[in-house]
Amino acid sequence: MQNLTSGELVIQVVAMPADTNANGDIFGGWLVSHMDMGAGVASRRRANCRVVTIAIESLNFIKPVSVGDTVCFYANLLKVGRTSMRFKMEAWTLSLQDTLPKKVAEGIFIFVAIDEEGRPCPVDRD
Ligand SMILES: CC(C)(COP(=O)(O)OP(=O)(O)OC[C@H]1O[C@@H](n2cnc3c(N)ncnc32)[C@H](O)[C@@H]1OP(=O)(O)O)[C@@H](O)C(=O)NCCC(=O)NCCS
Protein backbone atom coordinates (compact mmCIF):
# COMPACT_ATOMS: atom_id res chain seq x y z
CA MET A 1 0.00 0.00 0.00
CA GLN A 2 1.41 3.37 -1.03
CA ASN A 3 -0.33 5.27 1.78
CA LEU A 4 0.70 3.17 4.79
CA THR A 5 3.75 4.22 6.71
CA SER A 6 5.69 1.63 8.67
CA GLY A 7 8.52 1.60 11.17
CA GLU A 8 9.62 4.05 13.82
CA LEU A 9 9.18 7.77 13.21
CA VAL A 10 12.71 9.07 13.83
CA ILE A 11 12.66 12.59 12.32
CA GLN A 12 9.86 14.98 11.35
CA VAL A 13 10.75 18.31 9.72
CA VAL A 14 9.25 20.97 7.43
CA ALA A 15 11.05 21.37 4.08
CA MET A 16 12.25 24.97 3.72
CA PRO A 17 13.07 27.21 0.70
CA ALA A 18 16.80 26.96 1.51
CA ASP A 19 16.64 23.20 0.77
CA THR A 20 15.52 23.52 -2.87
CA ASN A 21 17.24 22.51 -6.10
CA ALA A 22 17.25 24.44 -9.39
CA ASN A 23 13.72 23.17 -10.18
CA GLY A 24 12.33 24.62 -6.98
CA ASP A 25 11.73 21.18 -5.45
CA ILE A 26 13.59 19.85 -2.45
CA PHE A 27 17.20 18.84 -3.14
CA GLY A 28 17.77 15.05 -3.13
CA GLY A 29 20.87 15.40 -0.97
CA TRP A 30 18.78 16.99 1.77
CA LEU A 31 16.50 13.95 1.80
CA VAL A 32 19.45 11.51 1.82
CA SER A 33 21.10 13.36 4.67
CA HIS A 34 17.93 13.17 6.75
CA MET A 35 17.44 9.48 5.94
CA ASP A 36 21.04 8.89 7.06
CA MET A 37 20.50 10.90 10.26
CA GLY A 38 17.26 9.02 10.93
CA ALA A 39 18.97 5.64 10.56
CA GLY A 40 21.71 7.01 12.82
CA VAL A 41 19.16 7.86 15.51
CA ALA A 42 17.61 4.38 15.32
CA SER A 43 20.93 2.50 15.22
CA ARG A 44 22.41 4.51 18.08
CA ARG A 45 19.33 3.70 20.16
CA ARG A 46 19.54 -0.01 19.22
CA ALA A 47 23.27 -0.41 19.88
CA ASN A 48 23.47 2.14 22.71
CA CYS A 49 26.91 3.31 21.55
CA ARG A 50 28.55 5.35 18.77
CA VAL A 51 27.58 4.32 15.25
CA VAL A 52 28.65 5.20 11.71
CA THR A 53 27.18 4.70 8.26
CA ILE A 54 29.17 2.07 6.36
CA ALA A 55 26.98 1.76 3.26
CA ILE A 56 23.89 2.98 1.49
CA GLU A 57 22.85 0.00 -0.58
CA SER A 58 19.95 1.46 -2.50
CA LEU A 59 18.07 4.71 -2.79
CA ASN A 60 14.96 5.56 -4.76
CA PHE A 61 13.41 8.99 -5.14
CA ILE A 62 9.74 8.28 -5.79
CA LYS A 63 8.07 11.69 -5.88
CA PRO A 64 9.27 15.31 -5.62
CA VAL A 65 9.02 17.11 -2.28
CA SER A 66 7.68 20.67 -2.15
CA VAL A 67 8.61 23.56 0.11
CA GLY A 68 6.27 23.55 3.11
CA ASP A 69 5.69 19.79 3.12
CA THR A 70 6.21 18.08 6.45
CA VAL A 71 8.68 15.27 5.78
CA CYS A 72 8.53 12.24 8.08
CA PHE A 73 11.40 9.76 8.20
CA TYR A 74 10.71 6.17 9.28
CA ALA A 75 13.29 3.52 10.22
CA ASN A 76 12.62 -0.20 9.88
CA LEU A 77 15.31 -2.43 11.39
CA LEU A 78 15.68 -5.33 8.94
CA LYS A 79 18.66 -7.17 10.40
CA VAL A 80 21.16 -7.05 13.25
CA GLY A 81 24.54 -8.65 12.53
CA ARG A 82 27.49 -8.92 14.90
CA THR A 83 28.52 -5.26 14.54
CA SER A 84 26.17 -4.02 11.82
CA MET A 85 22.52 -3.00 11.58
CA ARG A 86 20.55 -2.86 8.36
CA PHE A 87 17.66 -0.41 8.05
CA LYS A 88 15.03 0.27 5.46
CA MET A 89 14.48 4.02 5.58
CA GLU A 90 11.38 5.67 4.19
CA ALA A 91 10.55 9.36 3.73
CA TRP A 92 6.88 10.40 3.58
CA THR A 93 5.35 13.83 3.09
CA LEU A 94 2.28 15.42 4.59
CA SER A 95 0.99 18.50 2.82
CA LEU A 96 -1.95 20.83 3.30
CA GLN A 97 -3.23 19.84 -0.18
CA ASP A 98 -3.18 16.03 0.24
CA THR A 99 -5.24 14.12 2.76
CA LEU A 100 -3.01 11.03 2.67
CA PRO A 101 0.75 10.86 3.28
CA LYS A 102 2.91 10.20 0.19
CA LYS A 103 6.02 8.03 0.13
CA VAL A 104 8.71 10.15 -1.54
CA ALA A 105 11.91 8.14 -1.03
CA GLU A 106 13.20 4.85 0.34
CA GLY A 107 16.57 3.20 0.75
CA ILE A 108 18.67 0.67 2.61
CA PHE A 109 21.20 2.07 5.09
CA ILE A 110 23.82 -0.01 6.94
CA PHE A 111 25.31 1.21 10.21
CA VAL A 112 28.16 -0.20 12.29
CA ALA A 113 28.50 0.08 16.07
CA ILE A 114 31.93 1.43 17.01
CA ASP A 115 33.95 1.72 20.21
CA GLU A 116 35.79 4.78 21.53
CA GLU A 117 38.69 4.11 19.11
CA GLY A 118 36.34 3.94 16.11
CA ARG A 119 36.67 0.15 15.74
CA PRO A 120 33.63 -2.07 15.07
CA CYS A 121 32.14 -3.46 18.27
CA PRO A 122 29.27 -5.89 18.90
CA VAL A 123 25.78 -4.42 18.72
CA ASP A 124 24.71 -6.71 21.57
CA ARG A 125 27.11 -6.50 24.48
CA ASP A 126 26.80 -7.95 28.00
C1 LIG B 1 32.68 1.50 9.81
C2 LIG B 1 34.13 1.02 9.99
C3 LIG B 1 34.59 1.29 11.43
C4 LIG B 1 34.10 -0.49 9.75
O1 LIG B 1 35.40 -0.98 9.86
P1 LIG B 1 35.80 -2.33 9.06
O2 LIG B 1 37.07 -2.82 9.64
O3 LIG B 1 35.69 -2.05 7.61
O4 LIG B 1 34.62 -3.28 9.52
P2 LIG B 1 34.33 -4.79 9.15
O5 LIG B 1 34.93 -5.23 7.86
O6 LIG B 1 34.66 -5.60 10.39
O7 LIG B 1 32.75 -4.75 8.96
C5 LIG B 1 31.91 -4.36 10.02
C6 LIG B 1 30.50 -4.79 9.69
O8 LIG B 1 30.03 -4.07 8.55
C7 LIG B 1 29.63 -4.97 7.52
N1 LIG B 1 30.01 -4.35 6.25
C8 LIG B 1 31.25 -3.98 5.87
N2 LIG B 1 31.20 -3.41 4.65
C9 LIG B 1 29.90 -3.43 4.26
C10 LIG B 1 29.21 -2.98 3.11
N3 LIG B 1 29.83 -2.37 2.09
N4 LIG B 1 27.88 -3.16 3.06
C11 LIG B 1 27.21 -3.74 4.07
N5 LIG B 1 27.81 -4.18 5.22
C12 LIG B 1 29.14 -4.02 5.29
C13 LIG B 1 30.39 -6.25 7.79
O9 LIG B 1 29.71 -7.38 7.22
C14 LIG B 1 30.35 -6.28 9.31
O10 LIG B 1 29.07 -6.66 9.76
P3 LIG B 1 28.82 -7.76 10.93
O11 LIG B 1 29.81 -7.52 12.02
O12 LIG B 1 27.42 -7.49 11.40
O13 LIG B 1 28.98 -9.11 10.29
C15 LIG B 1 35.10 1.72 8.96
O14 LIG B 1 34.86 1.18 7.68
C16 LIG B 1 34.91 3.21 8.94
O15 LIG B 1 35.31 3.90 9.88
N6 LIG B 1 34.31 3.74 7.85
C17 LIG B 1 34.01 5.17 7.75
C18 LIG B 1 32.62 5.44 8.33
C19 LIG B 1 32.18 6.85 8.06
O16 LIG B 1 32.97 7.77 8.14
N7 LIG B 1 30.90 7.00 7.70
C20 LIG B 1 30.35 8.24 7.25
C21 LIG B 1 30.04 9.19 8.34
S1 LIG B 1 29.07 8.52 9.65
Side-chain angles (χ1 to χ4, degrees):
M1 291 280 286
Q2 193 63 19
N3 60 356
L4 280 184
T5 60
S6 70
E8 179 191 3
L9 178 63
V10 281
I11 298 178
Q12 191 166 213
V13 62
V14 176
M16 302 299 274
D19 306 318
T20 52
N21 60 24
N23 303 325
D25 295 319
I26 296 303
F27 176 49
W30 181 89
L31 272 177
V32 178
S33 131
H34 281 77
M35 292 166 87
D36 188 37
M37 278 192 277
V41 167
S43 56
R44 193 181 169 94
R45 190 174 296 150
R46 175 62 181 81
N48 197 29
C49 66
R50 289 170 59 186
V51 294
V52 283
T53 317
I54 191 160
I56 300 175
E57 274 189 4
S58 68
L59 199 49
N60 293 305
F61 297 106
I62 301 163
K63 291 187 191 316
V65 177
S66 303
V67 170
D69 286 352
T70 298
V71 192
C72 306
F73 296 88
Y74 292 87
N76 287 278
L77 181 58
L78 299 178
K79 185 184 166 195
V80 178
R82 195 181 81 81
T83 67
S84 67
M85 293 156 280
R86 181 186 181 87
F87 289 90
K88 180 172 186 197
M89 292 300 300
E90 295 182 0
W92 291 72
T93 53
L94 300 167
S95 72
L96 298 177
Q97 292 75 38
D98 298 318
T99 46
L100 292 174
K102 282 189 301 189
K103 181 153 62 168
V104 294
E106 62 185 9
I108 303 292
F109 288 68
I110 320 288
F111 273 70
V112 172
I114 55 169
D115 63 19
E116 290 303 317
E117 279 74 48
R119 293 176 307 223
C121 70
V123 172
D124 291 314
R125 302 173 302 282
D126 292 332

